[in-house]
Every structure is written in structure tokens, then in C-alpha cells.
Amino acid sequence: MNSKVGSPEDSEQSDFQESALFFHKYPRAGKLEIQATKPLGNQRDLALAYSPGVAAPCLAIQKQPELAADYTARGNLVAVVSNGTAVLGLGSIGPLASKPVMEGKAVLFKKFAGIDVFDIEIDSQDIDHVVSVVSALEPTFGGINLEDIKAPECFEIEDQLRDKMNIPVFHDDQHGTAIIVAAAILNGLELAGKDLANAKIVTSGAGAAALACLNLLVKLGAKKENIWVHDIEGLVHEGREVLMDRWKAAYAQKSVKRSLQDHIDGADVFLGLSAANVLKPDMLARMADKPLIMALANPNPEIMPDVARQARPDAMICTGRSDFANQVNNVLCFPYIFRGALDCGASTINEEMKMAAVRAIAGLAREEASDVAAKAYSGDTPVFGPDYLIPSPFDPRLILRIAPAVAEAAAESGVATRPVADMEAYLDQLNRFVFRSGLLMKPLFAAAKTAQKKRVIFAEGEDERVLRATQVLIEDEIARPILIGRPDIIETRLKRFGLRIRPGADFEVTNPHDDPRYRDYVDLYFSLVGRKGINPEAARTMVRTNSTVIGALAVRRGDADALICGVEGRYAKHLRDVDQVIGRDEGVREFSALSLLISQRGATFFADTYVSLNPSAEEIAETTLMAAKEIRRFGITPRAALLSHSNFGSRVSGSASKMRQAVELIHKLDPDLEADGEMHGDSAISEHLRNRVMPNSNLTGEANLLVFPTLDAANIALGVVKTMTDALHVGPILLGGAKPAHILTPSVTSRGVVNMATLAVVEASVPE
């Protein structure tokens, strides 16, 4: 398969840019919106929200300003501030053009740590003006994140704002990078058996991020006399006047030598925040044993990892890129640092808090990973070593380690105005957030990318949604797609939709009208269904015309690893074909379907949404257990509520009795699974309501698996909740198959096809 998807690089870039513009424009412009958090359903609600009710919190805050955190959103609100003078790799493009980046930063705050953000773009390059504008906004915000402001102005702006304001001010370009770099260096030096105090550090680049990295390393124990800083003018040395400032001058060395090459000998650490290809292989060869290479220029690092390893097999390498191990990505820390700072009411983010974050990140890489964490690392449990110096940005434990560490450091250093009183309760609160972040699919994508490119066959290979999904799966290296369809039709539609992938070059095509395996497929199909009303002529017709049968036969024979079908046609018809060809797993009574909705509330699973009309108690128990196993694949602990019109025996009926019997069976078959019922839907969601009627329930917290007594109830509830909450639907996930096969529905989007294909790849990667 051609990973370049058969096009020149400039064409790929153009297509990606076009996709990015479409993404930002539709269905609504931008990436943010403001939503009310209180109901405004009647006149009393309005009176409480505004006049006259709003006077009560206003007067309370006037008397006690700290109560603003209790009565307003300020305690969870951060300003992302920029003047557009140093935007990503785009340079000084101005404040208005920087707005998409600032909105993007706001999205990361929200998704990773649940923090609300207003992005503020200031049309000024005057330091005093920027400081005046931002400091005057202190009553609005719980914290300030400075972003994409050029050096050295960024240093002065941050210093002045920290002096003027009693809320955290954090320049992420400096300190976020510094915290992750410091964690990587601590771990790299530990693996090399070296001491930071004695390490020789040579840098290329002397901007805001590089100097912040060095400042933090010095706080952690590095010696200035061992640090050699270089920029476009060469070594930062005593007496130099060109491109100097007081922050850079702190690292001036006494030396007559000026170039990076002059000082690389014996270096333990190379820190690059400069430009591509600055570090040459011959220079790398002169570094100390087990050198640590921090090549962080983007998009192309100071030296490519493969080139570095060829020159120095003993080197440990970090880059800023996601396609190599040890990615230095600011999202590893800034959401969680602000989370901890906001939650304890920190008046600043001081050195103690930053060092706590460094140690939390470094310590997490050394931890023995749980099965849940392994999913963030492509399914393999990570082991502390040269290729695992720092955690993945999608490790769900990051918030659980960094935020509490930062909050504790704030309290110990005396800057927490509301210290966390109950750390165990705080950790539980953070843990619940992890699975409400909307990033639930991310570990599965990571796992699929390293699953040896499993072959996923698509029954409806001519459908536009499948074609668009195929391009994503190829570009992201998730799967090797096989499309069932007519090659000429597929080719024509690819051109019509402006897709670059091409049959034969980028993906396989199974042509139902011209497949050399046709006779073998017919013989296999007839052997499976010959005594189920299908004669040889009908078998030949089915293998020519029924794409689901063809796909299922490919999986059965081992010509494909997983099947995706159902984009067109009736669910029951596809299920019949899958059942006849692939069949059910050993011991499974009946297939069932599990649907996942990801909303602002988090992840909720619904079962059985598409298969059994009126399942028995035994079938409901089986469905619940299979669903619980699937939910664990997402790294979530299942909590099952078996629903009914009866609430723990409040009404007597056949369906209520069935659910009660199912619970008893579940407890016998899997005593460790949290499951209870029969119960009302609101009792399943609210532990408070549930405890009123059943205080000794073994179900804790909010149920995340809702099991229904009939197909009518499950399917209707799924459709209503999905529409009312605008939730992302992942599924239906077919449970009980002998091999991975999933039947989608005609309403599925191309994104939904990608999600399910990814899940199928992960399932196909699990040893039988």
C-alpha cells in the first residue's frame, strides 16, 4: 500500500488546507460557543438568574470577593491572550489572524481539563498597553494564559502581569515547553546514569521557550557554567551586544569560540528549539555516551531521529512530532497545571508548582502502566526507557498526577487561597472527568495505528461515506481497506468527490463481477447455508450480488481481518448474512448490539439497540456481560443498570421480573461487575435518587451501561437521547461474533465509519 496515497506532497498539503478551512467554517463558524449552565425554563428561573435574584450573589461577592468562585464561572475561566506576534510557525501575522489558533487553544483547555476559555486578541505590540489591557481584566478570569507573543517582549509582559495580578499568569510557549523538556531530561539523565548538576547542556535557539527551559533546569539543579547557548549570531558570550537582552545575558559564557560545532564535544544534552538540520551527524558523534537529543524544531527537527540513531545508536531522542516516540507537546501539561491552580484558587503559578508538574510527568513515565493507560500507547504497555521518557499526551492519568501535584505545591508554598481539603474526593472528581472529555476514541486510534495494518473489508465500497472514510484510514495509517465494488464506479466517484486515493495503488478492490476467488467463495458459502434453503444457483447469485456475504466470506476465509457493512440496507438482512457466514462466538446464544453516545455528560452505552426484539432474562444477562467486556476495551469500568418501568419492585409485571432475574444471573456469572436493577432511568443516572429507594445497591455513581428490557425501549431511547444531546454516536457495536464484524446504519457519517473501522482493527488485533 502506498502511504503517500498516490499524490505529490504539495497536492496533499493543498487538500489538507482545504479540509481545514471547511472544518472551521461548517456547520458553524469557529470552534467555540457559550452555553448556559442553569435552566431558564420559567419566570422564576429568569428572576433567579437575573433581576432581582442576581443581587444576592452580587452583594455577597462585594462583602467577600473570594465568593466569586462559588457564585460565578470565574473559578473555571481562563483567558488565552495573544497579540499575534509569534503565531505557531507563521510568525507575526497579527491578532485577528491569530484567532483560530487561540480558539484551538481554548478547545484543548476544555477537552483535556474541562476549563472554559475566552480567547482575547489584543491589537497592540506595546508592552505597557498589553499589560494595561490584560491586568484590567482580572475581575473576569481565574487565570491568564499568554500565547504566541514574541520574545523578548513576552518576558517583560509576563513579569509585569505577575506583579500586578493576583491570579495565575502563565506563558505556555515558555513554561509549558520547559516543564515537559525538564521531565524528559530528568528521565533521560537517570537512564544514562548521569547527574543534572554535572551535565553539559548545549542549546541551539535562545528564544522564549529555550530560555524558559534553561531557567527551569537551573532551578532543578543544572549549573549555568555547564550550559552553552547558541542562536543565529552564534554563542551567547560575555561582551556580545548583538541580539542580546537581560534574560539571554544570564547564560553568557567566557569563550573565544562561537559556533555550535565548537561546543558540542562531550555534551550530555542537546536542546534544540531553532531550525531543521542544525545538528549534523558528525557533531552528534562527538557528544558524550548515551546523549539526550531534544530536537524540538517543528515541523522538521534539528536532526531526524533515524539519522540520529544511525550516527549514535545509544542516543535518546525527543522531538515535537507525533510520528516519533517521546513527543514534546505542551498539551501534556498546560491544561492540568491550570486545572490544579484553579481548583485551589492559586494566586500565581510559581516555581514550586512548575517543579511539581515536572516531577509528576517524569514520575508517570516511570510508573508501571495499567491496562487503561496502555490503550494510550497503541495497545502495548509502555516501559520506561529510551523510547518512553515522557508520557503520551493522551495518557488518561496525566490529569490525575499533575493537577493534584500542582494544587498541593500551591498549598505548601502558600499561594492557594482555597486549598484542596479532601484530596481523595478531588482525585475521584478528576477521575470522573477523564471519561467525560470527548477523547474516548483517541486511545483506540493510537492502538489501531500500530496494529500491523489490519485488513478491513467494506461491503458498500462505492458509497461516498466509505470512500471518504477510506482516505482517512489510509492517511492516518489505521487500516488496509478493501472495498467491495466496481472499480470503474469507485474511480469515477473518487474523482467526483475530489479524493486522492486510487484503487490498486492505495487500497484493494474486490470486484463482485470479476473475482478470481469466486468459485472458492461459492463453495464455502454453499457449505455453510446449503441446508438453510439456499440451493447452488442461489449461492452463485448471492456471491455475485450480495456484498455483505462477500465481505463475510472474506473474513471467514482469512482474506480480511474485519467486516464493516450496513451503510445501506436493512440491519436485520445484514445480520442474517453475518450470522450465516461468520457466525457467533463459542457459547453465545444470540448476537446483540451495543451503542455508545459521547456527549458533554460523558460516555454512555446502550444495549441491546438493534437485535433482540424481546430478549429473555438469560439473553439480557449475556448481553450485559458481553457489553461490559467491550466497555473495558475503552478503558472504562462498566457500571450496568438494568432498566424497567418498575423501580426495585415498585410494580409487578413480566418485564420487571425478567430484568430482576437477569440481575441475579449477572451476579452469579460475574460477581465483580457493578450491576443492579430493575430500576428507573433516573435512578440509574442519579446515585442520590437511587439511594433513596435502594441504599445498599452494589451500583456506585452514575451508570454508564443502560440495559433495556426490549428492543423498542433501547432503540427509541438511543434515538431520542442522541438527537436531544447532539451526542456523537459510535456504533452499533455488534457483540457475540466469531470474528470482528460490525453492521452500521444508513444514517452513519463518514466519521462514524472511521470510528467503527478503528474499533474493528483493535478487535482484530486481540489474540484469539
Side-chain angles (χ1 to χ4, degrees):
M1 185 177 71
N2 180 3
S3 63
K4 293 293 184 182
V5 294
S7 308
E9 190 173 320
D10 57 348
S11 176
E12 290 186 26
Q13 186 64 20
S14 176
D15 285 349
F16 184 78
Q17 289 173 348
E18 190 173 317
S19 297
L21 291 174
F22 185 91
F23 175 87
H24 282 79
K25 186 173 182 179
Y26 299 101
R28 292 176 57 183
K31 300 187 284 281
L32 301 173
E33 67 176 0
I34 295 174
Q35 290 187 338
T37 60
K38 297 294 190 294
L40 297 172
N42 54 44
Q43 184 59 41
R44 179 172 174 79
D45 289 345
L46 291 172
L48 290 170
Y50 197 55
S51 180
V54 75
C58 288
L59 294 173
I61 293 169
Q62 182 187 29
K63 293 177 181 178
Q64 293 180 262
E66 65 273 16
L67 292 178
D70 295 327
Y71 297 135
T72 76
R74 182 176 185 259
N76 194 51
L77 185 62
V78 166
V80 171
V81 179
S82 181
N83 63 359
T85 53
V87 180
L88 292 176
L90 304 175
S92 183
I93 61 174
L96 185 59
S98 77
K99 189 172 178 64
V101 178
M102 301 311 121
E103 285 191 359
K105 195 67 175 254
V107 170
L108 295 179
F109 267 108
K110 186 67 174 179
K111 288 294 185 181
F112 282 89
I115 295 170
D116 296 318
V117 166
F118 289 157
D119 61 291
I120 296 176
E121 293 76 32
I122 300 173
D123 190 8
S124 176
Q125 295 189 29
D126 180 76
I127 291 175
D128 291 339
H129 188 200
V130 172
V131 169
S132 176
V133 170
V134 177
S135 61
L137 294 172
E138 181 170 347
T140 303
F141 296 103
I144 304 292
N145 184 88
L146 300 176
E147 190 78 15
D148 293 349
I149 301 173
K150 71 182 179 72
E153 288 89 338
C154 59
F155 302 122
E156 189 64 47
I157 289 171
E158 185 185 42
D159 286 350
Q160 289 193 32
L161 288 174
R162 286 167 62 90
D163 288 340
K164 286 176 174 287
M165 305 181 78
N166 288 314
I167 58 175
V169 177
F170 187 82
H171 185 207
D172 183 49
D173 299 327
Q174 294 180 60
H175 308 300
T177 302
I179 287 165
I180 303 157
V181 164
I185 288 177
L186 288 183
N187 280 346
L189 292 177
E190 178 174 315
L191 284 172
K194 300 175 181 179
D195 184 4
L196 179 60
N198 300 319
K200 180 179 180 181
I201 301 170
V202 176
T203 77
S204 174
L211 293 176
C213 291
L214 297 177
N215 292 341
L216 187 54
L217 287 170
V218 169
K219 289 284 185 182
L220 290 164
K223 297 290 192 295
K224 285 188 176 181
E225 56 265 29
N226 295 334
I227 297 173
W228 301 81
V229 181
H230 305 79
D231 60 12
I232 58 174
E233 291 293 328
L235 178 71
V236 173
H237 61 88
E238 290 186 358
R240 182 177 133 177
E241 296 181 356
V242 180
L243 287 181
M244 289 293 287
D245 53 57
R246 62 187 174 94
W247 296 278
K248 197 182 295 186
Y251 293 95
Q253 289 275 21
K254 292 181 180 179
S255 176
V256 295
K257 297 180 179 180
R258 297 291 182 259
S259 71
L260 178 67
Q261 186 153 224
D262 291 330
H263 300 103
I264 199 70
D265 290 351
D268 299 292
V269 178
F270 169 80
L271 175 58
L273 284 149
S274 54
N277 304 317
V278 167
L279 184 64
K280 307 301 182 185
D282 64 301
M283 297 163 64
L284 181 57
R286 290 155 43 202
M287 293 182 68
D289 290 341
K290 298 180 180 178
L292 176 58
I293 311 302
M294 309 293 296
L296 306 182
N298 264 326
N300 298 313
E302 285 79 2
I303 188 169
M304 292 297 290
D306 54 341
V307 176
R309 288 203 183 282
Q310 189 172 2
R312 287 296 298 267
D314 62 335
M316 294 171 280
I317 308 159
C318 298
T319 71
R321 293 171 49 144
S322 61
D323 51 345
F324 296 111
N326 296 321
Q327 183 195 12
V328 175
N329 185 331
N330 287 10
V331 80
L332 266 168
C333 70
F334 75 80
Y336 316 121
I337 289 171
F338 269 97
R339 181 72 280 158
L342 292 172
D343 291 340
C344 70
S347 59
T348 186
I349 294 175
N350 57 23
E351 295 303 313
E352 290 83 357
M353 295 161 73
K354 286 188 281 186
M355 288 191 287
V358 170
R359 295 189 177 100
I361 294 169
L364 180 54
R366 299 177 195 141
E367 284 187 32
E368 181 178 340
S370 65
D371 292 341
V372 174
K375 296 180 187 302
Y377 300 90
S378 308
D380 297 321
T381 303
V383 177
F384 180 49
D387 291 328
Y388 180 51
L389 297 175
I390 46 178
S392 159
F394 300 104
D395 191 319
R397 299 169 297 172
L398 281 165
I399 193 171
L400 304 177
R401 302 294 183 273
I402 299 173
V406 168
E408 285 185 336
E412 290 171 2
S413 60
V415 298
T417 63
R418 302 186 308 276
V420 175
D422 186 339
M423 189 55 68
E424 186 176 340
Y426 181 53
L427 283 167
D428 183 61
Q429 174 187 329
L430 294 175
N431 196 53
R432 288 200 302 271
F433 168 77
V434 167
F435 298 111
R436 289 204 299 265
S437 65
L439 297 169
L440 198 63
M441 289 297 297
K442 205 69 185 179
L444 293 179
F445 278 100
K449 287 188 71 169
T450 57
Q452 299 181 346
K453 303 298 182 297
K454 295 296 181 181
R455 301 159 300 170
V456 179
I457 191 164
F458 294 87
E460 295 87 6
E462 298 174 2
D463 188 279
E464 177 184 357
R465 292 162 293 178
V466 171
L467 294 173
R468 292 190 182 279
T470 297
Q471 178 152 312
V472 173
L473 293 169
I474 293 171
E475 287 179 341
D476 290 351
E477 300 182 338
I478 291 171
R480 290 165 51 195
I482 304 170
L483 305 191
I484 300 175
R486 296 160 290 181
D488 56 333
I489 298 297
I490 290 174
E491 186 81 46
T492 299
R493 292 183 178 178
L494 288 171
K495 292 178 180 177
R496 183 195 307 166
F497 303 138
L499 301 175
R500 300 186 313 277
I501 53 174
R502 292 292 174 261
D506 302 309
F507 61 91
E508 297 178 39
V509 174
T510 294
N511 184 355
H513 303 303
D514 185 19
D515 190 335
R517 300 165 297 186
Y518 170 70
R519 292 186 181 278
D520 293 335
Y521 276 30
V522 170
D523 292 344
L524 175 58
Y525 184 59
F526 184 71
S527 72
L528 296 169
V529 300
R531 295 181 181 274
K532 297 178 181 178
I534 301 293
N535 60 36
E537 181 61 31
R540 287 191 287 272
T541 301
M542 291 288 276
V543 178
R544 283 281 191 219
T545 62
N546 189 318
S547 60
T548 298
V549 166
I550 297 169
L553 288 167
V555 173
R556 176 84 184 222
R557 274 173 44 104
D559 297 334
D561 299 301
L563 167 66
I564 299 293
C565 61
V567 176
E568 300 168 3
R570 292 185 297 111
Y571 191 96
K573 177 176 174 295
H574 292 287
L575 181 61
R576 178 202 65 195
D577 296 333
V578 170
D579 192 12
Q580 289 181 340
V581 178
I582 293 177
R584 282 164 264 177
D585 207 359
E586 185 177 353
V588 173
R589 291 183 177 82
E590 180 59 277
F591 285 104
S592 57
L594 179 68
S595 290
L596 163 62
L597 292 185
I598 304 174
S599 67
Q600 292 296 324
R601 289 188 58 86
T604 307
F605 294 84
F606 294 67
D608 164 19
T609 48
Y610 282 92
V611 179
S612 297
L613 288 171
N614 188 15
S616 66
E618 290 76 14
E619 289 171 336
I620 288 171
E622 179 181 72
T623 292
T624 304
L625 295 175
M626 289 192 297
K629 181 180 178 181
E630 189 69 28
I631 290 169
R632 292 187 182 101
R633 194 188 304 279
F634 288 84
I636 297 175
T637 300
R639 295 183 174 89
L642 278 68
L643 305 182
S644 172
H645 66 285
S646 172
N647 203 27
F648 298 105
S650 63
R651 296 187 65 178
V652 177
S653 70
S655 67
S657 175
K658 177 176 69 174
M659 300 305 278
R660 199 155 48 245
Q661 292 173 33
V663 170
E664 293 172 0
L665 289 169
I666 291 166
H667 288 164
K668 289 179 182 177
L669 295 169
D670 187 354
D672 295 329
L673 175 63
E674 287 192 34
D676 209 346
E678 79 287 11
M679 71 176 73
H680 287 170
D682 54 1
S683 295
I685 301 301
S686 170
E687 185 175 28
H688 175 70
L689 291 176
R690 185 166 64 250
N691 285 338
R692 286 183 180 179
V693 292
M694 188 53 61
N696 61 346
S697 172
N698 81 323
L699 182 63
T700 61
E702 182 176 319
N704 53 26
L705 171 57
L706 306 181
V707 184
F708 296 84
T710 65
L711 181 60
D712 276 348
N715 193 272
I716 291 169
L718 173 68
V720 169
V721 174
K722 179 174 69 172
T723 303
M724 290 181 65
T725 62
D726 195 27
L728 170 65
H729 179 211
V730 179
I733 302 167
L734 188 63
L735 304 176
K739 292 180 179 295
H742 295 293
I743 305 166
L744 310 186
T745 62
S747 63
V748 72
T749 64
S750 60
R751 179 186 183 187
V753 176
V754 170
N755 283 338
M756 289 307 299
T758 301
L759 178 61
V761 167
V762 174
E763 290 174 340
S765 304
V766 177
E768 295 184 7

